[in-house]
Amino acid sequence: MSQTYLPGQTRQGERILIAIAVVLTLLFIVAPLAYIFVRAFSEGWRVYAQNILDPATLHAIWLTTMVAIIVVPVNVAFGVVAAWAVAKHRFPGRGILVTVIEIPFSISPIIAGICYLLLYGRQGLLGPWLQANDLQVMFALPGIVLVTMFVTAPFVAREVLPLMQAQGSEQEEAAVTLGASGWQVFRRVTLPNIRWALLYGAVLCTARAVGEFGGVSVVSGNIRGQTNTLPLHVELLFNDLNAVGAFAAASTLTLLAVVALILKAVLEGKRST
Amino acid sequence: MTALSIKHVWKEYGDQIVLENISLEIAPRSFVALVGASGCGKTTLLRMLLGQEQPTRGTILLDGEPLPPEPGPDRGVVYQRYSVFPHLTVLGNVMLGPEMAGSRLWGRLTGAPKRALQDKARQMIADVGLAGSESKYPAQLSGGMQQRLALAQALMMQPRVLLLDEPFGALDPGIRSDIHELMQRLWHALPMTVVMVTHDLREAFTLGTRIIALERTRTRPEEIDRYGAQIGKDIAIWPPRVAGGGTIYDNPALRDDPALDTMIAGRPDLERL
């Protein structure tokens, strides 16, 4: 039996499926997010502002921003270099490299945190040497940055790699025949071709770096006003039974995520044109 | 004037011999069409002339000098696809080569040199019949227009040798004959030697001054890897075409032209005719 559909026509079954999808999205995604803002503002603007302007919360926002500012450029560079190596060159161990890049996706971030603790901690492998040289990695900014870097390492590479593989290296070869140097090939041909995927990967990487909880909670030491990132601070406030404070801090995180999502949607549109 | 001299060139990939003892003298300003079955090494020979691949044995001389082992601005190339850059406009594509040569670090020019280059590029775009399309992107051009753009891009570098790898193979017959006319006009007007790989014998005879057919003489399964393709036929077009002149029929003055002597020198089959 065949049926023809006109644009705009939907059958009963389709309507039900669409309705289920919409209801589930509202119930499980939109409602909880909206509730964050409802609770954050439940005692009015003034209390909200007071909570956001609390020195510990401000410090958490500042620390999280610092981490993202350090991590994202490093991972963008790493992602481009790794994708370039894998997509444009043939070398032994190429397949292994592709798998290794993806490891952070499959490993629970808390395991990454523990690994770093075992490596750089006081009792860790490099602990004595770090102490002898008076370098504080764990329970300080370097540790938080390292773990966040690990967790967000694959985002840019995973976005850029398929695109580079699909494009092949014909265009680069064509540029070389026009007398381009290696840097010029990258700057004038490779980079413009991957720019949207690169920005898209950077947005995802930023969102994840800002929101990372598990790995950071192991290595940060949760020192309020010193090593507490925004997600950790939300948990801390929540455990303090300061619900409005927790939700206010959470609302700033959510806003960051929403901005990242809007950017991502814009970039996706750009990429497909 | 530019002469190519290919001396006892072999090309092997591992155990497989692709080209076997190719020797060929290409006179200055000639238009050589390389024909032959698929996989017989036409493109490999072209890539060696370009410098993207090296002969396993033997030498290639350009004006008596050994060919540099990498592509350079003295040799331009147009491929069937991938020659133009999708992220640059027509003008940007044509300016890219000189821009990269003029600014090694950024590949961009500014001020007076840029305006001079723009004027030159616009002239070149008009010469290949793309006037009015300067600000379009390659995706907005038809296949034939894209190949005209690829020609303009390659010719901006004023190559001494223009290498064409089935440049018109994907075009419709009507469009192809238009671009053949353009190709002939360019060859007559510009001081360059052309080597073109083609599947289309009609195209080879329409444009060439000389047809080189690569052939594998031993094709039994046990022989196929150990014997490469050789020059099977070397056909000079009669009446001889002289770059910038036409043929001796439509231009009787050419009978005394020394260029004709160079072209038929060492070719007993021609003198007999």
Side-chain angles (χ1 to χ4, degrees):
Chain A
M1 211 173 78
S2 72
Q3 274 179 300
T4 52
Y5 297 102
L6 293 171
Q9 258 190 352
T10 45
R11 280 186 306 167
Q12 188 98 34
E14 285 176 26
R15 282 201 200 110
I16 292 172
L17 282 176
I18 293 170
I20 291 173
V22 169
V23 168
L24 288 182
T25 309
L26 286 175
L27 208 61
F28 291 113
I29 300 175
V30 179
L33 284 181
Y35 190 61
I36 291 176
F37 290 93
V38 172
R39 282 302 298 269
F41 290 106
S42 60
E43 285 171 39
W45 274 100
R46 194 160 297 182
V47 181
Y48 177 83
Q50 218 169 32
N51 275 295
I52 291 287
L53 295 175
D54 176 71
T57 306
L58 279 181
H59 185 272
I61 294 173
W62 177 82
L63 184 63
T64 296
T65 314
M66 277 305 291
V67 169
I69 286 174
I70 300 171
V71 165
V72 174
V74 171
N75 272 340
V76 164
F78 165 77
V80 171
V81 170
W84 166 276
V86 171
K88 312 275 177 181
H89 302 277
R90 296 281 169 275
F91 54 89
R94 194 173 148 267
I96 298 173
L97 182 60
V98 176
T99 315
V100 169
I101 291 173
E102 295 213 331
I103 282 180
F105 268 168
S106 49
I107 282 185
S108 167
I110 201 152
I111 295 174
I114 290 171
C115 290
Y116 275 86
L117 195 61
L118 291 177
L119 197 60
Y120 295 104
R122 193 173 273 246
Q123 317 290 330
L125 207 56
L126 300 174
W129 183 85
L130 288 171
Q131 255 180 313
N133 289 281
D134 207 19
L135 294 171
Q136 173 87 17
V137 175
M138 285 300 108
F139 313 124
L141 184 65
I144 298 170
V145 166
L146 281 175
V147 167
T148 310
M149 226 181 259
F150 176 91
V151 172
T152 59
F155 281 92
V156 174
R158 275 322 308 173
E159 287 305 317
V160 173
L161 182 58
L163 191 66
M164 276 195 178
Q165 277 174 329
Q167 282 171 345
S169 42
E170 285 91 352
Q171 287 203 3
E172 277 84 359
E173 282 190 12
V176 170
T177 67
L178 286 174
S181 64
W183 168 247
Q184 286 179 331
V185 171
F186 178 74
R187 175 72 188 65
R188 297 292 317 259
V189 179
T190 311
L191 200 56
N193 278 330
I194 61 167
R195 62 189 189 276
W196 298 124
L198 189 63
L199 280 173
Y200 180 70
V203 167
L204 287 181
C205 182
T206 310
R208 190 77 175 80
V210 167
E212 172 52 25
F213 178 85
V216 171
S217 76
V218 177
V219 300
S220 89
N222 290 37
I223 308 165
R224 202 186 293 238
Q226 280 182 39
T227 64
N228 227 15
T229 62
L230 200 45
L232 299 178
H233 192 61
V234 172
E235 196 214 16
L236 203 82
L237 290 173
F238 196 76
N239 288 343
D240 286 350
L241 301 178
N242 180 355
V244 174
F247 280 108
S251 72
T252 57
L253 257 184
T254 312
L255 271 179
L256 278 174
V258 169
V259 168
L261 271 176
I262 292 170
L263 268 178
K264 170 182 161 287
V266 171
L267 291 174
E268 259 179 346
K270 288 265 192 193
R271 192 153 60 138
S272 58
T273 52
Chain B
M1 276 302 182
T2 306
L4 277 163
S5 175
I6 301 169
K7 289 183 173 161
H8 306 291
V9 163
W10 295 64
K11 182 67 191 178
E12 300 166 17
Y13 293 107
D15 275 347
Q16 197 196 0
I17 298 175
V18 177
L19 291 171
E20 181 177 335
N21 204 11
I22 305 281
S23 288
L24 192 61
E25 294 292 326
I26 296 176
R29 295 292 269 125
S30 49
F31 193 130
V32 175
L34 279 175
V35 298
S38 289
C40 75
K42 306 183 294 282
T43 296
T44 305
L45 184 57
L46 197 80
R47 285 173 66 88
M48 286 196 290
L49 293 177
L50 186 59
Q52 253 167 357
E53 293 199 37
Q54 312 307 318
T56 313
R57 267 169 283 165
T59 49
I60 301 175
L61 304 177
L62 176 60
D63 285 339
E65 299 281 320
L67 203 65
E70 56 197 21
D74 52 350
R75 285 150 290 149
V77 67
V78 173
Y79 301 105
Q80 185 170 353
R81 290 174 59 203
Y82 306 122
S83 286
V84 297
F85 300 104
H87 61 280
L88 296 175
T89 60
V90 167
L91 189 64
N93 264 289
V94 174
M95 285 170 55
L96 183 66
E99 266 194 310
M100 291 193 297
S103 164
R104 295 311 295 173
L105 190 59
W106 285 105
R108 286 185 196 283
L109 295 173
T110 48
K114 179 168 187 168
R115 281 192 296 278
L117 177 60
Q118 270 178 345
D119 292 343
K120 224 178 123 198
R122 283 177 200 282
Q123 184 59 46
M124 180 59 79
I125 289 165
D127 285 346
V128 298
L130 288 179
S133 303
E134 286 85 352
S135 53
K136 286 185 180 160
Y137 284 89
Q140 298 166 278
L141 302 177
S142 67
M145 289 165 93
Q146 286 189 21
Q147 290 309 81
R148 284 168 188 264
L149 174 58
L151 276 171
Q153 186 184 55
L155 293 174
M156 273 303 275
M157 300 303 285
Q158 301 177 324
R160 291 187 288 165
V161 181
L162 182 64
L163 303 165
L164 307 172
D165 191 357
E166 294 188 44
F168 317 126
L171 305 181
D172 293 335
I175 298 197
R176 205 183 297 187
S177 64
D178 287 349
I179 207 165
H180 283 167
E181 262 173 44
L182 169 68
M183 195 58 240
Q184 256 168 336
R185 210 171 64 232
L186 293 169
W187 171 66
H188 281 304
L190 301 170
M192 61 184 179
T193 306
V194 181
V195 180
M196 173 177 72
V197 166
T198 180
H199 265 116
D200 180 356
L201 282 178
R202 192 190 153 92
E203 178 172 272
F205 280 89
T206 308
L207 293 175
T209 60
R210 185 179 177 189
I211 319 288
I212 303 288
L214 293 179
E215 276 173 14
R216 279 175 177 274
T217 45
R218 296 175 187 249
T219 52
R220 298 212 320 256
E222 69 274 23
E223 295 172 336
I224 196 138
D225 277 357
R226 300 307 299 155
Y227 293 89
Q230 293 172 304
I231 294 178
K233 300 266 188 312
D234 182 353
I235 305 161
I237 300 295
W238 188 266
R241 298 187 175 112
V242 175
T247 72
I248 52 172
Y249 292 130
D250 47 39
N251 186 1
L254 278 178
R255 288 172 197 272
D256 305 321
D257 193 323
L260 200 59
D261 293 334
T262 7
M263 280 187 62
I264 60 176
R267 298 292 305 277
D269 51 328
L270 280 186
E271 275 155 351
R272 208 169 51 245
L273 281 165

